[in-house]
Amino acid sequence: TPKKPPRKTGESSFLANARLYGHGITASYGEMCYHDNSLVSASLEALIQHLVPTVDYYPDIRFREVAPKLVQLLTEWTETFPYDFRDERMMRCLKDMTHHVARGDEYSWRAMQQMTQRLIKRLSALGQYEEAVAALNTVAMERPASLKSKQASGQRSDVLSVCDDPFVLAQQLTHIELDRLSFIGPEEFIQTFAMKDPLENHKGFFRKRKTSNLEAYVSWFNRLSYLVATEICMPVKKKHRARIIEFFIDVAQECFNIGNFNSLMAIITGMNMSPVARLKKTWSKVNTDKFEILEHQMDPSSNFSNYRTALRGATQRSETAHSSQEKIVIPFFSLLIKDIYFLNEGCASRLPNGHINFEKLWELAKQVSEFLVWRQVICPFDRDRRILQYLVTTPIFSEDELHLASYESEGPENNMEKDSRRSLSCSSLLSNVNI
Ligand SMILES: *[C@@H]1O[C@H](CO)[C@@H](O)[C@H](O)[C@H]1NC(C)=O
């Protein structure tokens, strides 16, 4: 926390501007403003000046202590924002610094070596992850012809033949969530929005984005929703479809108990897609009590207040956890992004006087830091490779294919649905013609 600066010799108006509000003291020291001793805003120049030693001013460090402090700063940087160092210019800077810091200081040199090794390990893990995601997407895109029509889809195994225990399936979903969460860098939240702003775009060292882990995670959510809908729409028999709906309700319930709100929401989204929701005869065979409770938990009204309460509960459980299972908190990610987006948009990062708006940045940092704690949890469950493989690669229906499969299960009920099926059948026929 940047605190009130020490008095600089030769500075005549030490307390240049202090005011008493109803509560707390607001004070300015040149270009830095404080409220109750916490920095509220400052100009970039003043912040830099505050950190740079001059002939008659040391920023509360002794000069011989600079090397360990520098190592500490770089360690913090490389551990919190390792992806910044995907840029070879940054790596070169780091090497240069190692060289300087190391001069005559064995301890700092060793610390820099270890830090660099950890960094390289993180970056190569990222590279492997990106390759794995790309490979999985390719497999999932290779859609066998069998999926094109429902009658022939008997060859595709369904979820129950791979796993019929809702708790085990929820555990495997949690593995996928935590794997993918762990690669999202804190900077990606802000970069995702900032890159859309052309004014921010033209300048700066970190102009080009180096990662897209956030997008990869969001597409996993979409995949899971479509997978749930596909599994429900595919079976020919009503009884079978009803069993799959009940199975996914149980999986969603287990996700809720685990604290995996993202999979929970993806499953609910899949169930509410219109090709699934319209299967009235199927739903009439399902006991929906549990599902209604879960939907109520994730109800968007009052700004998702039920969900936010449940999330707070899970967060508290996590903070006082006795087992790694109790530590798990996987937020409904789209909402987290939305909150951060509006926080970022709702307030300027620079005040009209050009100062950096520290208060806003603290608030952003608070939200992103909370996420960083959740991201760190190691998933305690046993991995089941066969189930995991199925979840991430088994082919899924597109939106049109879902509708067609749904009409095959339960025919159109009105003219609108009849028209819809007719036009879908036509375009599906056309897309199957090999030219
Ligand atoms: C919804 O709640 C979040 C978290 O409390 C808050 O940051 C956000 O501003 C709220 N949004 C609206 C539209 O009230």
Side-chain angles (χ1 to χ4, degrees):
T1 311
K3 286 288 175 200
K4 202 158 66 179
R7 180 174 187 153
K8 294 186 186 185
T9 41
E11 205 173 62
S12 54
S13 56
F14 171 57
L15 215 144
N17 177 10
R19 274 162 295 158
L20 260 173
Y21 281 138
H23 53 297
I25 297 171
T26 301
S28 300
Y29 304 87
E31 292 286 289
M32 300 179 70
C33 300
Y34 290 81
H35 185 73
D36 281 349
N37 281 350
S38 293
L39 184 60
V40 174
S41 74
S43 70
L44 186 59
E45 294 71 24
L47 283 170
I48 292 170
Q49 201 202 347
H50 181 57
L51 293 170
V52 176
T54 61
V55 177
D56 54 0
Y57 167 66
Y58 299 117
D60 58 20
I61 48 171
R62 300 271 159 271
F63 207 71
R64 61 183 142 74
E65 290 169 6
V66 163
K69 296 262 178 189
L70 196 58
V71 173
Q72 196 185 342
L73 174 72
L74 288 170
T75 304
E76 185 100 356
W77 188 349
T78 52
E79 281 178 5
T80 313
F81 301 106
Y83 305 158
D84 283 351
F85 295 84
R86 268 201 144 176
D87 189 308
E88 63 187 54
R89 291 169 299 175
M90 289 293 285
M91 271 308 202
R92 222 177 300 130
C93 284
L94 195 65
K95 286 209 182 89
D96 286 350
M97 287 218 189
T98 308
H99 194 70
H100 288 302
V101 163
R103 212 174 286 152
D105 183 348
E106 176 78 9
Y107 176 81
S108 296
W109 182 78
R110 198 163 302 150
M112 290 290 279
Q113 290 291 320
Q114 282 167 0
M115 181 191 79
T116 308
Q117 273 161 19
R118 276 197 303 273
L119 176 63
I120 289 170
K121 222 168 117 190
R122 278 283 287 279
L123 292 178
S124 76
L126 173 69
Q128 283 167 10
Y129 168 71
E130 286 172 341
E131 278 172 24
V133 167
L136 290 175
N137 288 345
T138 312
V139 174
M141 292 297 279
E142 285 167 4
R143 307 164 53 71
S146 65
L147 199 70
K148 287 268 163 66
S149 84
K150 185 163 154 151
Q151 286 86 357
S153 68
Q155 296 146 358
R156 177 190 182 278
S157 49
D158 73 6
V159 64
L160 290 177
S161 70
V162 179
C163 173
D164 61 2
D165 181 338
F167 188 42
V168 173
L169 196 78
Q171 290 178 342
Q172 302 311 310
L173 290 173
T174 305
H175 264 298
I176 297 172
E177 300 282 350
L178 284 172
D179 280 347
R180 300 208 169 195
L181 267 190
S182 73
F183 281 99
I184 297 173
E187 71 279 19
E188 293 191 64
F189 288 98
I190 308 304
Q191 284 174 347
T192 309
F193 317 135
M195 297 301 144
K196 298 205 176 87
D197 184 350
L199 283 176
E200 298 271 343
N201 235 344
H202 66 285
K203 57 180 187 244
F205 201 69
F206 300 111
R207 188 173 53 238
K208 233 174 67 206
R209 282 201 60 187
K210 297 173 192 72
T211 47
S212 52
N213 302 310
L214 198 136
E215 287 80 354
Y217 187 54
V218 171
S219 34
W220 153 248
F221 179 95
N222 294 334
R223 173 177 169 82
L224 180 55
S225 301
Y226 274 85
L227 175 65
V228 168
T230 301
E231 295 285 345
I232 296 170
C233 288
M234 216 170 38
V236 180
K237 291 206 174 84
K238 182 168 63 189
K239 209 172 92 187
H240 191 176
R241 288 195 299 274
R243 218 170 83 222
I244 293 197
I245 291 181
E246 282 178 341
F247 175 71
F248 275 117
I249 294 174
D250 289 339
V251 175
Q253 176 72 55
E254 295 296 350
C255 287
F256 180 82
N257 295 342
I258 289 172
N260 177 356
F261 296 105
N262 202 51
S263 293
L264 165 62
M265 196 58 175
I267 294 171
I268 293 179
T269 305
M271 303 259 211
N272 284 330
M273 283 180 174
S274 65
V276 178
R278 65 172 289 284
L279 299 172
K280 298 212 177 62
K281 291 185 192 117
T282 307
W283 279 97
S284 74
K285 299 272 166 216
V286 175
N287 178 353
T288 54
D289 293 352
K290 263 190 285 183
F291 186 58
E292 277 155 22
I293 295 171
L294 289 170
E295 270 196 311
H296 182 67
Q297 280 296 336
M298 303 306 279
D299 185 354
S301 58
S302 311
N303 193 7
F304 284 91
S305 71
N306 293 347
Y307 160 69
R308 290 185 196 277
T309 306
L311 181 69
R312 258 199 310 279
T315 308
Q316 277 160 11
R317 176 176 75 176
S318 173
E319 281 161 3
T320 58
H322 299 295
S323 66
S324 43
Q325 187 174 333
E326 288 176 342
K327 279 208 173 73
I328 299 171
V329 182
I330 302 170
F332 167 33
F333 199 66
S334 304
L335 187 63
L336 178 69
I337 295 180
K338 206 167 139 192
D339 284 349
I340 293 179
Y341 175 81
F342 282 111
L343 190 58
N344 194 42
E345 291 288 299
C347 252
S349 297
R350 295 250 186 179
L351 300 177
N353 64 3
H355 282 194
I356 290 168
N357 184 351
F358 247 74
E359 246 176 338
K360 170 203 173 164
L361 299 181
W362 279 129
E363 196 50 48
L364 270 180
K366 218 164 72 190
Q367 298 231 358
V368 176
S369 308
E370 192 169 41
F371 161 80
L372 292 183
V373 174
W374 297 333
R375 186 189 72 164
Q376 273 177 356
V377 174
I378 307 287
C379 194
F381 310 119
D382 289 335
R383 276 179 194 270
D384 184 316
R385 302 219 153 269
R386 184 158 160 262
I387 302 174
L388 287 170
Q389 181 77 11
Y390 182 85
L391 290 171
V392 293
T393 61
T394 197
I396 50 177
F397 282 140
S398 68
E399 189 164 359
D400 285 355
E401 288 163 343
L402 275 176
H403 274 104
L404 273 175
S406 174
Y407 290 133
E408 277 181 54
S409 297
E410 293 185 21
E413 287 204 337
N414 50 44
N415 286 336
M416 205 184 76
E417 289 197 345
K418 276 181 196 147
D419 287 348
S420 150
R421 181 174 68 174
R422 203 171 303 125
S423 72
L424 284 170
S425 305
C426 271
S427 56
S428 147
L429 268 179
L430 285 175
S431 74
N432 282 339
V433 174
N434 290 319
I435 302 173

